[in-house]
Amino acid sequence: MFTHNLRIAWRQWRAGIFYSLNGHYRSTSISAIARKALVILQFTVSVSLIIATAIVYRQIDFAKARPIGYNRDGLIAIRMRTGDIYKAAYNSLRADLLGSGAVIDMAQSANEATEQPPNADISWEGKDPASRPPFTNIEVIHDFGRTIGWNMTAGRDFSRDFATDSNGVVINESAARLIGWKNPIGKTLHYWNGDRHVIGVVKDIVLGSPYQPVPATIFPMSYSDVNYITIRLDPAMNTTTALNKIAKVFRHYDPQSPFEPRFLADDYALKFAAEQQVAHVASVFAILAIFISCLGLFGLASFMAEQRTKEIGIRKVLGATVTQLITLLSLDFLKLILLSLCLAIPLSAWAMHRWLENYPYHTALQPWIFAAAGTTAIVIAMITTSFHALKAALANPVASLRTE
């Protein structure tokens, strides 16, 4: 009996080797599970990257749509490389530029309107001496607010009709809230080594990062601590023609320095460069991951269709329609994709929530983003597997039943 069993085992072992060498070896359940697990992993990564890419682009669009408090279109900034000449001859320079027809208005300031303002040492009556609240400041001259188009919410703008404005200051809404004044007009701020009286409150202006809250900012009047000239171009004139006219005037007053205007709209757009790079890289990896996932799913569909050839033939002989067979085959893959969605959605939601926390001014995680990503993954999966499902469903059942 023992010898008989040994001969049977020997023949089975030789048969297994024969089928393996001739490509007829059927995969074990472990290898089948490994294939499915790989497809789940690939689609989990793909869906996560689709969601991440969508949220990054949405965050960029959200920040771009943020009201900035002034009109940056048509504004150029020019750094004063020989400040003493510009300060001494500013009135003549202004008159010539306005007379050229290329300029509507212009003003000087310590910083470019798209720069993050420097910190300021501010105090006021009733302030806790131990506290140091965050303040920023930009020294400006009379025409700055009118040139950039800021919006006053209380009081008035600087005016040459008031000699006392030389010691005046305009504050933004964030500064008024931080100080706690319900009516700040006429109140006194101690700024560096002197007192300044508040003449107006301006609507918050986004000067630094579009992703950060607007800091408490003051705009003191100063004709000495200025480094930039901001110019608003006349929209009725061609931009190139206007710049040529402005360059001619500047070269008259400073022939040694190059004329290098900076468009504030372009400078503001640069603030989104880092996030746009992240979005671009994420989109490239998402496309690559989807492609790899489709290859894996295509191979798995081919393998499973081949494994179920006889089953499909029997079902077709018993009256199953092509639609029913395609649905039967597709359900197996749909289960894998749904499982990958169950993994990808909470994982990406957690990761993107953490990423958005880096931006105080950020968009919200909307459910439609996850739904759209899931729908996209399902559609891609169904398109990928439809070829093999349709091929198996249309096969001749007689040939299928002959398959061993």
Side-chain angles (χ1 to χ4, degrees), residues 45-92:
V45 174
S46 299
V47 173
S48 299
L49 287 173
I50 291 173
I51 293 173
T53 303
I55 292 175
V56 171
Y57 275 115
R58 182 171 171 80
Q59 169 66 2
I60 294 172
D61 292 338
F62 181 77
K64 284 184 176 180
R66 180 183 186 181
I68 63 171
Y70 68 97
N71 181 14
R72 62 178 177 270
D73 295 332
L75 284 180
I76 63 172
I78 303 169
R79 184 172 181 83
M80 296 187 294
R81 301 184 182 278
T82 53
D84 291 339
I85 296 176
Y86 286 166
K87 293 169 188 176
Y90 176 73
N91 290 333
S92 298

Side-chain angles (χ1 to χ4, degrees), residues 10-25:
W10 170 252
R11 285 197 296 269
Q12 290 176 344
W13 182 80
R14 285 190 305 169
I17 295 296
F18 173 79
Y19 286 123
S20 176
L21 293 176
N22 286 273
H24 298 295
Y25 178 76

Side-chain angles (χ1 to χ4, degrees), residues 130-379:
S131 68
R132 291 187 176 275
F135 270 88
T136 60
N137 75 103
I138 300 180
E139 286 86 357
V140 299
I141 69 169
H142 285 95
D143 311 298
F144 181 79
R146 189 176 66 246
T147 299
I148 68 170
W150 66 18
N151 300 301
M152 305 298 300
T153 60
R156 60 174 178 83
D157 202 346
F158 293 113
S159 172
R160 289 183 172 84
D161 296 333
F162 298 90
T164 55
D165 280 2
S166 59
N167 289 321
V169 63
V170 171
I171 65 175
N172 68 353
E173 293 174 319
S174 293
R177 286 193 298 267
L178 181 59
I179 295 173
W181 287 334
K182 293 183 179 179
N183 182 19
I185 307 304
K187 298 292 180 63
T188 300
L189 287 175
H190 184 74
Y191 171 66
W192 296 118
N193 295 320
D195 291 336
R196 299 279 184 144
H197 60 279
V198 179
I199 65 170
V201 179
V202 67
K203 190 173 182 179
D204 282 345
I205 297 174
V206 179
L207 298 171
S209 171
Y211 303 105
Q212 299 293 329
V214 175
T217 306
I218 67 170
F219 301 88
M221 169 71 71
S222 176
Y223 273 82
S224 58
D225 299 321
V226 287
N227 301 301
Y228 285 89
I229 293 179
T230 302
I231 295 174
R232 180 167 296 281
L233 302 178
D234 189 338
M237 183 177 291
N238 176 271
T239 301
T240 302
T241 303
L243 291 177
N244 289 334
K245 288 179 175 291
I246 295 171
K248 183 177 180 180
V249 174
F250 267 89
R251 291 192 186 101
H252 172 73
Y253 286 90
D254 187 9
Q256 303 301 321
S257 300
F259 178 70
E260 297 175 337
R262 298 174 60 90
F263 283 87
L264 297 194
D266 294 340
D267 286 353
Y268 190 77
L270 291 176
K271 297 177 182 292
F272 304 95
E275 285 72 21
Q276 287 174 332
Q277 184 67 22
V278 171
H280 176 71
V281 172
S283 61
V284 170
F285 276 103
I287 293 173
L288 182 61
I290 292 171
F291 177 73
I292 295 174
S293 300
C294 289
L295 289 179
L297 191 59
F298 190 82
L300 181 61
S302 176
F303 173 79
M304 293 182 69
E306 183 180 353
Q307 294 292 93
R308 302 179 68 175
T309 300
K310 183 173 290 188
E311 176 192 349
I312 294 170
I314 295 173
R315 288 180 180 273
K316 197 167 184 180
V317 169
L318 293 177
T321 64
V322 172
T323 303
Q324 290 173 334
L325 293 174
I326 292 176
T327 303
L328 175 67
L329 294 172
S330 299
L331 281 176
D332 292 334
F333 303 108
L334 184 59
K335 292 175 184 178
L336 299 180
I337 302 307
L338 291 177
L339 182 55
S340 69
L341 293 181
C342 292
L343 296 174
I345 290 177
L347 178 63
S348 58
W350 173 81
M352 296 314 296
H353 176 73
R354 294 292 302 272
W355 181 75
L356 288 174
E357 286 181 337
N358 296 320
Y359 304 94
Y361 187 84
H362 60 76
T363 186
L365 295 178
Q366 298 292 339
W368 68 263
I369 297 177
F370 301 95
T375 303
T376 301
I378 292 173
V379 171

